Every structure is written in structure tokens, then in C-alpha cells.
Amino acid sequence: MSTRAGCVTAWTSARRVVAQPGGLVMTAVLDALVVAVLSGVWRVAADANGGSIAGYSATAVTWYIATSEAGTISMNSRLIDDIGTDIASGTIAVELLRPTSVLRQRVLIEVGRVLPRLAVCIVAGWVLARLTEGPVPHGTGALLAVPSLALAVACNIVAQHAFAGAAFWLRESKAMWFLYQKLVFMLGGMLIPLEVLPPWLRTIANATPFPSMAYAPARLAAGHLELHLIGVQALWLVALGATAAFVFGSGERRLQVVGG
């Protein structure tokens, strides 16, 4: 598949999402509700701790939560389970008959689906943060958070395909979906900044790809201009892409050998 064809695939998928504005509105409402609740809890904690917690002021932690939630709520939370179902049902075996990479096609379709939802989540969450806590801590950080969010959802999508590929052998993916969600929650910095974690757990988290899916853009939006985070995201995207390609390639060969 050429680059142009890939862009057309993602664009077509995005247009289908935009054509159903009701779904986008519900995504924005859900994002605003989650951000309001979580940021409210963290603001109370920061105020009770002398105005900051783990180096985050009440304003910074609000923008952190607004950004981390945008990158996760915009995702299909059951993507791993959906892919596993398609593998077990033989849907992917049929897709193998097409003259294109099944993995690349599916990733591009999912990217197209996520981007419109990501856009409305950014608007909903950041507007709420602006209204409740004031301007973003650092304008440059907010600008950098946008491409970082794009990398975050890309890492998330590719990683979920890598995890879901276990269904080629296990014939089910619910356990992998459950494990993946917990890892993103705990090690990805989705609900709490990594600085709040015990040092040993923070060290483990930083050795995994999960902070690239939530923590990196949120940290930038909170005013910490740590540019290396974007570089780390890019490296993880390459590594996760290679892993997903290996898993799907091995799984597809297994389907061809055993007959689906």
C-alpha cells in the first residue's frame, strides 16, 4: 500500500466518524465529565499539600489530567477484544486474501477513527481546564502536547494490535485486554502523574512504552518542557510497530499452515 493510499484509508475512516456527530458529542461530554472529576480530586490534594503535589500546582495537574484523558478516552477501549474476536472468527483470515498488509490497513483505519475523537477531547478538556484553573502553564508546552498526543494514540493503537495478536494462538483476547488496560492505568500515567508513584515503580514504568501513551503529552501540557519525551515516543512507536508486525506476521503464517 502506497503512502497516498494509506492516507486515503485513514481519511475515509475519519470522515465516517465525523458523519456521526452524535458520537463525537458523547465522547466530548464523557471526556469533560472525567476531567472534571479527576482534576477536581487532584486540585483538592494539591491545595491540601501547600499548593502543589509532586511538583504539580493545581493548575498544572488540571491541564495534565485534561491532556492524559484526551489521549485515552479518544481510543476504542475494547480494541484488543475486537481484534481478538476477528482473529478467532476468521475475519482476519479472509482479509489475508487482499493484496495489502492486514496490520497496516487496520492500524490506518483505527488512526482515522481516533483522530476526530481526539480533536473533540482536546477541545473539551482544555476548555474545561481553562475555565476552571486558568491559562495553560506554558504555551510552548501546550503546542508540543498536540503532536505528542498524536504519537500517544499511534503508540496505543499499535501496541493494542501487538497484544491482540496473542489471539492467533490463544483464540481469545479478553485476558490480554484486561492486562493491557491495567498497565496503561498504572504505568502510563493516565490517572496520576508518574512522579506520584514510588521510585521503584516509576523506574519500572519508564522502562515500558506505556508512559508514551498518556504521561508524555500530559507532562508537556502541564508546563514541563522535556523535549526528550517526544523522542522517546517516536522510538517506542518504531519498536511497537516492529513488534506488532512480527506478531501478526507469525500469526498469519500460523493461519496459513493450520488452515485458519
Side-chain angles (χ1 to χ4, degrees), residues 76-91:
N76 173 6
S77 62
R78 301 198 66 87
L79 180 58
I80 290 177
D81 199 24
D82 291 345
I83 297 169
T85 298
D86 287 344
I87 291 173
S89 67
T91 300

Side-chain angles (χ1 to χ4, degrees), residues 241-255:
T243 301
F246 173 79
V247 171
F248 262 69
S250 300
E252 289 167 5
R253 287 192 292 272
R254 182 177 186 278
L255 286 181

Side-chain angles (χ1 to χ4, degrees), residues 38-213:
L38 289 179
S39 63
V41 171
W42 280 109
R43 286 199 302 274
V44 170
D47 291 340
N49 197 52
S52 69
I53 184 167
Y56 292 85
S57 65
T59 299
V61 78
T62 299
W63 282 91
Y64 179 101
I65 293 298
T67 305
S68 69
E69 292 303 317
T72 51
I73 289 180
S74 59
M75 297 290 302
N76 173 6
S77 62
R78 301 198 66 87
L79 180 58
I80 290 177
D81 199 24
D82 291 345
I83 297 169
T85 298
D86 287 344
I87 291 173
S89 67
T91 300
I92 284 185
V94 174
E95 292 177 5
L96 288 174
L97 300 176
R98 300 171 182 170
T100 185
S101 166
V102 172
L103 174 61
R104 186 181 181 190
Q105 182 78 2
R106 282 179 164 261
V107 167
L108 288 171
I109 289 173
E110 197 60 35
V111 167
R113 289 172 178 167
V114 167
L115 289 181
R117 298 199 294 263
L118 176 63
V120 299
C121 285
I122 291 174
V123 172
W126 285 13
V127 167
L128 181 62
R130 178 66 175 82
L131 293 175
T132 57
E133 279 297 321
V136 65
H138 201 295
T140 302
L143 290 175
L144 291 171
V146 175
S148 181
L149 275 168
L151 284 169
V153 298
C155 286
N156 205 332
I157 290 169
V158 175
Q160 290 199 56
H161 279 79
F163 268 68
F168 282 113
W169 293 269
L170 303 178
R171 290 298 179 180
E172 74 91 27
S173 56
K174 286 184 172 57
M176 297 302 292
W177 166 78
F178 182 82
L179 172 63
Y180 184 88
Q181 294 297 319
K182 298 304 175 286
L183 289 172
V184 174
F185 291 165
M186 181 178 295
L187 304 181
M190 172 186 170
L191 300 176
I192 59 175
L194 295 187
E195 289 73 20
V196 178
L197 299 177
W200 65 270
L201 186 54
R202 186 163 67 247
T203 300
I204 293 174
N206 285 326
T208 72
F210 300 107
S212 292
M213 302 172 193

Side-chain angles (χ1 to χ4, degrees), residues 16-30 116-117 120-121:
R16 289 172 180 165
V17 174
V18 174
Q20 299 177 330
L24 290 175
V25 171
M26 290 304 298
T27 298
V29 170
L30 174 62
R117 298 199 294 263
V120 299
C121 285

